[in-house]
Amino acid sequence: MKSIAPLLTVLSSVSLRLIAYVFLRWIPGHHAPPLVLLFASLYAISFLSVYTSQKSAAVASSLDSRGSANGQFGYGIAKEADRAIQKGLGKAIGDTGVTPVQTARQWPGWTLLWGLPDPTSFWWTTATAGINAILCLCVLDLVYQAPILYPSRELSFARVGYVSDTTASLLIREPDGKQLPIFVSYRGVPETGQPSIGDSWKAVGTEYWLSNDTDYTFTVVIKGLRPTILYQYSVSNNHSGYFTTAPPQGQVAPGTDKITFLTSSCIKPRFPYNPFAHPLAMPGFKHLAQKLPELKASFMLFLGDFIYIDVPRRFGVDPESYRREYRQVYSSPDWPSVSKDLPWIHVMDDHEIANDWDGNTTAPYPAAADPWHLYHTSVNPPPVAPGASYFQFTHGLASFFLMDTRRYRTPSHPLPATSSEKSMLGPTQLSDLLAFLSRREPAGVKWKFLISSIPFTRNWRFAATDTWANYLHERQLLLEAMWSVPPGTGIIILSGDRHEFAATAFPPPQGGKWPASATVHEFSTSPLSMFYLPFRTYEEREGEDEVCVKYVPDGNSKFGVVEVMGGGKGGQGVVRFRLFVDGVEVWEYVLTTGVGGGGGGGGGGGRDAAIWT
């Protein structure tokens, strides 16, 4: 053991530090904490072995030196050795007046770097062991502190969900029975240049009873509103906020020429890890909050992974375990800054259920769906059909179809990606989506947005079996439908999931029945507040007819700003996509629809005027 102890000490120390760093700053994978604790145990055992061996060698060396100096061997030295071991080397040598052999001092940097004890310095030895101990505590802190100390059962809040031109949905949570009954009211807040609508408060609902059945939540839908008006809402449990109703279909708000909304996905509290931050802090929210006043966005399209139930550790598969994760996000000290006046609309992805979920509605989906419906779909746009978990709405100049890519999909394996029996959407959702693509939009609606929680492109090569790359038959059906949209309408796909950004173009086959102007574009943006991958996973390959427009992998916080304009030349629709990384705008891209047709399979013109600035 003594011969390999120094090597084992170095290897276990380096492994512990490397894994802990990656876990705390790069990827909080669930495999890391057990490995950190394993290497910590090995390190402690080998470290103590090396340390005691060094001390024993120092004692023996000092006693040998003293014996040689005095010419004394045998019983006398043996007796003094016993005294040295029992009373401490320094005192025994001091009593006899013998000077010990000095062990060569080890460079402190070597001690700190490799984790080996220094026999000549108690402080450097304590410091290098302390580094490993602190890293272990940080790992345990990230894993356990929030779930154990911050279950957020006392969370009381209100937020705005979907807002149309005549309605607004509110979600309210109040676990304190003393606040009941809860009254909700609203009023119009005239702005400069808007007609007066009166400022008297109007009651919209009263809730007399709340229970754990709904995790103490309830929803209120305010109806009979007027388009493009600023309203204030107030809840009797001391919550209030503002929202602005959408413009009518095909129009924009007075005084502006566009609608603006945001898109991103993937958030995890306190990551990258900061030991001094609040356990529920969201660093990415701070970047978003700084830009919100100038962006004047109408809503946030959040494309999944609002929670990470299985990262870094799953604590249960019951509804309460999932509910706790939602409550913790809404309890974040950074949440109010990005939600008080900004409606959020959601789709579900795998980490709201389990990693790479393809199990339909089998367990644990029912438990996962419980808070998903309570906190999100209850204030989402109306579902396409009763009981469905995919949604459709129109906001001003654009219409949206929010796909559910988890609940209805067939398993990723064993069928090949090109099998016609594999489906991401299921037959009913697929039929509804094809109908959405083929329908003619009202006058002024120039764009259709398809919302997918996972990337549509197959250029992401890592873990591609979880994306549309593993459902190519159905994907091709959708591409052909997108290339064939009615004239004058543009198609854009928005997705997330990859913790990177990429813009990809999908041109139709050359020489086919679709013009080049029918090209479809995808903007995939994430994370809003989570890790980004330290290695590159996106790759354009020859012969696949998917063109990389822009690839931005780095950054712990990314969000897209989509500006939809209808005042283009000759009635063109214009979309400008702006990418923000860690709070800084780094790229933009402009797309236009054709003049008088050519949205896909139509006449002249088309979507070929893509301008990169």
Side-chain angles (χ1 to χ4, degrees), residues 448-516:
K448 294 177 186 281
F449 286 89
L450 272 62
I451 311 304
S452 173
S453 66
I454 53 173
F456 201 75
T457 179
R458 53 184 166 179
N459 285 348
W460 264 295
R461 310 297 170 175
F462 178 73
T465 56
D466 186 52
T467 72
W468 281 96
N470 198 27
Y471 296 80
L472 294 178
H473 175 78
E474 188 168 88
R475 178 179 176 271
Q476 185 63 26
L477 292 178
L478 292 177
L479 276 174
E480 293 179 5
M482 286 186 271
W483 292 329
S484 304
V485 295
T489 304
I491 299 289
I492 293 176
I493 303 168
L494 299 177
S495 63
D497 178 67
R498 294 283 96 176
H499 295 222
E500 298 178 323
F501 170 83
T504 308
F506 302 86
Q510 293 183 359
K513 63 179 181 179
W514 300 283

Side-chain angles (χ1 to χ4, degrees), residues 486-603:
T489 304
I491 299 289
I492 293 176
I493 303 168
L494 299 177
S495 63
D497 178 67
R498 294 283 96 176
H499 295 222
E500 298 178 323
F501 170 83
T504 308
F506 302 86
Q510 293 183 359
K513 63 179 181 179
W514 300 283
S517 59
T519 298
V520 174
H521 289 79
E522 175 185 23
F523 299 99
S524 187
T525 312
S526 64
L528 180 55
S529 190
M530 204 7 172
F531 69 85
Y532 66 91
L533 294 173
F535 50 89
R536 303 302 173 246
T537 65
Y538 182 97
E539 178 189 355
E540 179 184 338
R541 291 182 182 173
E542 239 180 283
E544 292 188 351
D545 295 330
E546 295 180 27
V547 181
C548 175
V549 179
K550 187 69 173 179
Y551 177 45
V552 183
D554 295 346
N556 292 111
S557 177
K558 305 184 189 75
F559 62 89
V561 179
V562 184
E563 299 173 344
V564 184
M565 295 162 274
K569 182 179 178 181
Q572 288 178 315
V574 180
V575 162
R576 180 168 71 151
F577 184 93
R578 302 164 63 190
L579 175 65
F580 287 78
V581 178
D582 294 333
V584 178
E585 185 173 2
V586 299
W587 184 75
E588 71 172 35
Y589 197 77
V590 177
L591 294 168
T592 65
T593 60
V595 181

Side-chain angles (χ1 to χ4, degrees), residues 127-145:
T128 195
I131 291 173
N132 292 344
I134 290 173
L135 286 174
C136 288
L137 290 175
C138 289
V139 169
L140 294 174
D141 179 42
L142 182 60
V143 174
Y144 292 103
Q145 185 180 22

